[in-house]
Amino acid sequence: MESVRKYLSFLFTFVIFHTTAFAIDSDAMKEGKKAFSKKAYGEAIKKFMKHADSHPQDGEAYMYLGYIYEYKKDYPKSIQNFRRAADLDLDKDQRKTVLLKLALFFNYHQDWNLSATYASRYLKYDPKNEEVQKIYNRAVGNKGNPSSTTQTYSQPTKIEPKHETKQTDSKQTDSKKDPIKKVDEPGEDKETTKPSESYEQILANQPNLEDVRWDYVLALFDEKKYDKAESNLNLLIEKNPTRSRYHYKMGIIKLRLDEPKAAIESFERAKKNPFSKDTNVFLYYVYLNEGIAYQKLAEIDKAESSFQEAFKQVQKDTPLLALARLYEQKSDWEKCIQSSDKALSFNPNQVESHMFRFVCMFEAGNKTKKFESSFAKYSEFIKTKFPDPTQTPEKFQVGFLKLARKYTENNAFDMADSYFAVLEKDQTISTGREYLFYRGRNYFYGGKIDLAIPYLQKTTGSSAAHYLLARCYAKKNDITKTKEEFQLAAELKPEYWTSASLEKDFKEVWKDISFQEFLRTKAGKVP
């Protein structure tokens, strides 16, 4: 297997740098490759899809899409695109690379039919390759084995171009609106590249073909036709009510339909008769998604228990990250820090774990080396991946308020304001005291007094806000307003009566005798 990995690495490098005259380099393809080389995967996907739409017989775009989704750890989409590429026009070296990757992938997951198919196709180009011949022989010898339809999609052998660095960041969610991260699913589902329509004619003539209907459900799910997937899956459950993967998939569909209670019921049924192959892995995903369902219902204790059970089944960083997210929402800073720390011990470069550790250590006042390390990792990731902060997925915006405060502390006022501006659209955050005060504070120390005043005025019941307002008006030499705000601040925090002479902002108003008298008598309350 090691020799296969080395061969794949060499072959892919050769393919990337030695494309033949048959390659179609449209403007979209050129721009896609450029974005791909810069790891701007979102832009690259758009360009490659544009090229694919205008050149439907060219497989090169799908080949690149396969690599992008592999880097993003979305393996079903990765393999789907590699399979498309293999069936379209590619030059010989590209086709060999894609076929070899597919043969190796399905061999790894013991899907013997597909492994044999792609190994056979590869051997037509390179019949002397002993490693692929072994893959083919093994696949043929195991055809009909039940494991051929029970793959577990863990990380396959990766083939990376030499001009790319290894991915170290978490995969992005498909949606910016749902802060609860969608988790990977167990790969017991049979891989398919066919659109759902291709199964409808078969089922119309032979409605009792269970495997075909299952593939139909998976295709509908991939196309986000959840209602239709649900109705067909119900037919399968009626025929085979004890099959765990049907109940698990129904739970996932119910989650997508935003029916968490029904999802939990399906997950409970799945647990009664767990998947016999890799049971721990199966239960890991069941508990993980069950935790998400409970979290949607705001049943925090049950969600916590489900995430903990998921971690017991398979010790990975994902349930620990889910717990960190849960504890951050509960304002349980210490548990959030502990879960984030533990997640980072499994995956030191997991950005969300750094984000939650940074946020919770900020709240707890634990500004240690770990705090600075997580700030550096999180802030650098955002700056690099999302130069325009408004394009940042919502799951990474959890730390924006603390990020803005940290930049204010570092005197990076414009940088801080760019993150405050993103949060302005969120009424829950932008009307809160923390946002209003610290944005006003950022403007104040950034020298934008007139912009600071409206935010500080909206920060009710804050002695610090009133004191900053007093300093604002003192800078504007408005003695009346300075006195009003100073008095409001001092009524909440009497120490301010003795601090005015220390602030240089009061230098000009201090020259006014009435202001000196105002301080000396504490607004007339002391003779």
Side-chain angles (χ1 to χ4, degrees), residues 396-455:
F396 292 118
Q397 293 183 22
V398 173
F400 270 20
L401 188 52
K402 299 300 183 291
L403 207 56
R405 288 179 58 180
K406 177 65 173 171
Y407 279 125
T408 299
E409 291 177 6
N410 294 350
N411 297 327
F413 304 116
D414 290 338
M415 181 72 77
D417 194 57
S418 67
Y419 294 104
F420 279 123
V422 174
L423 299 174
E424 193 168 18
K425 296 178 182 178
D426 188 330
Q427 292 298 307
T428 305
I429 296 175
S430 62
T431 56
R433 289 181 63 193
E434 183 181 11
Y435 175 88
L436 294 169
F437 174 74
Y438 283 102
R439 191 167 194 189
R441 186 174 182 269
N442 181 65
Y443 278 136
F444 175 83
Y445 285 106
K448 299 176 180 179
I449 304 302
D450 290 330
L451 292 176
I453 290 172
Y455 287 98

Side-chain angles (χ1 to χ4, degrees), residues 224-265:
K224 299 184 179 180
K225 298 175 181 176
Y226 301 129
D227 289 331
K228 208 168 183 178
E230 179 186 8
S231 61
N232 278 274
L233 189 52
N234 276 325
L235 296 175
L236 292 173
I237 291 173
E238 286 176 15
K239 283 188 175 183
N240 198 339
T242 62
R243 197 158 192 180
S244 57
R245 68 176 180 177
Y246 291 167
H247 292 295
Y248 172 80
K249 198 66 177 181
M250 181 62 81
I252 298 297
I253 290 172
K254 292 293 187 181
L255 272 182
R256 298 294 188 269
L257 292 171
D258 201 23
E259 299 177 24
K261 285 186 178 179
I264 290 168
E265 291 173 3

Side-chain angles (χ1 to χ4, degrees), residues 37-52:
S37 67
K38 294 180 179 179
K39 297 179 71 175
Y41 295 140
E43 181 66 19
I45 289 171
K46 292 178 184 177
K47 297 301 180 183
F48 289 136
M49 289 303 296
K50 183 178 179 181
H51 174 87

Side-chain angles (χ1 to χ4, degrees), residues 64-79:
Y64 275 97
L65 287 169
Y67 282 103
I68 289 172
Y69 284 114
E70 184 178 10
Y71 293 139
K72 292 162 74 67
K73 297 185 181 179
D74 191 340
Y75 301 124
K77 283 188 179 179
S78 173
I79 294 304

Side-chain angles (χ1 to χ4, degrees), residues 336-349:
C336 176
I337 294 167
Q338 291 169 11
S339 292
S340 300
D341 264 341
K342 199 168 183 179
L344 289 168
S345 70
F346 285 91
N347 188 351
N349 294 309

Side-chain angles (χ1 to χ4, degrees), residues 454-521:
Y455 287 98
L456 295 171
Q457 286 175 331
K458 293 176 184 176
T459 312
T460 57
S462 169
S463 61
H466 287 301
Y467 189 65
L468 278 181
L469 279 168
R471 293 172 67 182
C472 287
Y473 289 121
K475 283 176 174 286
K476 295 169 72 71
N477 205 26
D478 186 333
I479 294 177
T480 302
K481 287 282 188 181
T482 302
K483 288 179 180 178
E484 288 177 5
E485 296 298 336
F486 198 103
Q487 185 174 352
L488 289 170
E491 285 174 355
L492 294 169
K493 189 176 179 180
E495 299 95 290
Y496 282 129
W497 288 117
T498 58
S499 65
S501 59
L502 303 177
E503 294 286 355
K504 63 179 181 179
D505 296 329
F506 297 106
K507 182 178 179 181
E508 291 302 316
V509 295
W510 187 261
K511 296 175 182 177
D512 188 280
I513 294 175
S514 67
F515 186 72
Q516 296 178 29
E517 186 70 12
F518 165 80
L519 290 179
R520 187 163 47 249
T521 63

Side-chain angles (χ1 to χ4, degrees), residues 76 83 105-106 109 111 114 147-153 184-192 211 214-215 217-219 221-222 233 243-250 252-253 275 282:
R83 293 182 70 183
F105 179 89
F106 290 115
H109 292 298
D111 189 327
L114 289 174
S147 65
S148 65
T149 59
T150 56
Q151 307 99 310
T152 300
Y153 291 134
D184 297 332
E185 298 174 21
E188 50 178 324
D189 303 346
K190 188 176 179 182
E191 187 63 35
T192 176
D211 289 343
W214 174 240
D215 286 346
V217 168
L218 299 182
F221 182 87
D222 288 342
L233 189 52
R243 197 158 192 180
S244 57
R245 68 176 180 177
Y246 291 167
H247 292 295
Y248 172 80
K249 198 66 177 181
M250 181 62 81
I252 298 297
I253 290 172
F275 201 50
F282 178 76

